[in-house]
Structures are given as structure tokens and as C-alpha cells.
Amino acid sequence: MSNRDEDWMRHALGLAQKAADQGEVPVGAVLIRDGEILGEGWNQPISLHDPSAHAEMLALRAGGIAAGNYRLPGSVLYVTLEPCPMCVGAMIHARVERVVFGAFDPKTGAAGSAFKLLGDERHNHRISVSGGVLEEACAEALRAFFRARRLAQSATKQTG
């Protein structure tokens, strides 16, 4: 892990806060190539009425538009939560070189926690993976979001 990885993960955490501010699960992603932002995104499936509007998917879409190509060789995707199977599939098709994530996801993480899709040798493209970058900060953003949601639901039940 490098200081650069931590810097880009802090940027992704800022994007995750945008998701939280919109009432979405706080996950942020930033796609980098040659030290520059190629695309970024934050979870928006609720607000966009799109089950595929995960932070990673939105960052990849923006990156493809910026690059003028759906292939994104030499790119690094920073995301605050371990990617799910859908997002891993998109990363493989886009030819992302490396994925760096913060918090591990034991329920749906596809970079080794629940599924080992990124390491599956049957894929025609390999993606380097680094997990646990600013893990505690990324995990705390998620815990705080769900804690606040539970408190709000509890308050609604008590007043309803």
C-alpha cells in the first residue's frame, strides 16, 4: 500500500459521503489512469432507479466516456467497499489493471471475501487486487450510515 493509494481512497471516501447525503449506502469509487481522474461515482441505485448504479459502475461508465473507449487498460479503480460480482464483471470487461478497496464485504465481496471472482483463472483478464486500504475509515462510514438508519427507524416506530 502506498501513500498514493491512501490519498485516492480518501477521495473515494469523499464520494461515499455524497451517497450518504443522498440517503444511499455510502460507497464511493474513483478511476485513475496516469495519475489523473478518469471517472468517479458513488452509490445511486435508489435515486437513479437503477440496480446497476453502484459506485464502481458509475466510475467505469464515466471513465469509458472520458477515454472514448470501453476498454480502460492501465487504470486503477479505488472503491471504499469490496466490489460485488456485478462490478467485478464490469472491471474484467473494461480491462482495469488494478482494484484497490477499503472495507471487506463478507456477504457479497467478490475479491476474496465471499467470492473469489477476481482471482478466477478462467477469466481472460487478470486484475491485481489490494484490499484493506483505510479499512477502518471505510468500514466506519458504512457502520455510521446503518446505525443512523436504525435509529431513525426506531424513532419512527416509537412515534408511530
Side-chain angles (χ1 to χ4, degrees):
M1 173 176 61
S2 70
N3 287 341
R4 184 170 298 220
D5 285 349
E6 289 181 0
D7 291 343
W8 287 121
M9 190 60 71
R10 283 186 192 90
H11 184 88
L13 276 164
L15 297 169
Q17 185 58 51
K18 288 185 177 191
D21 292 345
Q22 295 175 351
E24 303 271 5
V25 174
V27 178
V30 59
L31 183 69
I32 306 301
R33 187 161 65 184
D34 299 325
E36 302 288 325
I37 295 175
L38 195 57
E40 56 185 27
W42 55 91
N43 269 7
Q44 297 181 68
I46 298 167
S47 58
L48 294 178
H49 310 290
D50 179 355
S52 72
H54 288 194
E56 303 95 301
M57 299 294 281
L58 297 174
L60 290 170
R61 287 176 190 152
I65 290 167
N69 195 332
Y70 75 105
R71 300 280 198 218
L72 303 166
S75 64
V76 180
L77 184 65
Y78 293 87
V79 60
T80 57
L81 181 63
E82 182 178 1
C84 74
M86 172 184 69
C87 294
V88 164
M91 288 176 220
I92 291 167
H93 287 292
R95 304 299 192 261
V96 169
E97 182 176 314
R98 182 171 173 240
V99 63
V100 179
F101 67 88
F104 290 85
D105 184 352
K107 290 185 179 182
T108 63
S113 289
F115 307 99
K116 292 180 173 60
L117 295 182
L118 278 176
D120 193 316
E121 294 182 9
R122 293 173 290 187
H123 295 301
N124 62 340
H125 175 70
R126 304 287 183 277
I127 299 175
S128 171
V129 181
S130 298
V133 175
L134 298 183
E135 179 180 2
E136 183 54 34
C138 293
E140 181 52 34
L142 290 159
R143 284 191 298 264
F145 174 81
F146 287 110
R147 190 168 38 245
R149 181 179 270 185
R150 283 190 300 274
L151 283 171
Q153 288 174 345
S154 176
T156 301
K157 286 180 184 175
Q158 290 176 2
T159 60

